[in-house]
Amino acid sequence: EILGSADTPYEKGIFNLEILVPARYPFEPPKIRFLTPIYHPNIDSAGRICLDVLKLPPQGAWRPSLNISTLLTSIQLLMAEPNPDDPLMADISSEYKYNKQLFLVNAREWTKKYASQ
């Protein structure tokens, strides 16, 4: 589980994650995806996360010195600060860029609907 940070549209949300640790960990990054639906430009409807530390170089920034705790912190930071220039969800990304108020309303609504206990 990961908690939505204060002062974000995901505040008070509890998001379930699936973490699959490969046999070659820490030389390969764990596979992490959201099981709880989340309205976010970098997380798709299947829960996949677009984050460089979840991928091996040269496309990614995974290093064996990273650990699962670091990855969860990185995911929490991504939730607080989306990267609309590297989206998995183009429509949500353009909404984030050009109509942030609507994005915030939608993200809060999804959090309330799917991530409230």
Side-chain angles (χ1 to χ4, degrees), residues 20 30 34 36 41 45 47 53 58 66 69 78 80 89 92 96-97 102-103 113 115:
L20 301 174
F34 276 77
T36 305
S45 53
V53 291
L66 296 173
S69 174
L78 181 69
M89 303 295 282
I92 298 175
Y96 180 84
K97 277 176 152 172
L102 182 60
F103 165 80
K113 185 173 178 180

Side-chain angles (χ1 to χ4, degrees), residues 20-42:
L20 301 174
V21 180
R24 287 188 29 81
Y25 177 84
F27 304 103
E28 275 178 32
K31 293 192 181 348
I32 303 178
R33 71 182 186 98
F34 276 77
L35 297 176
T36 305
I38 182 169
Y39 194 83
H40 194 285
N42 307 109

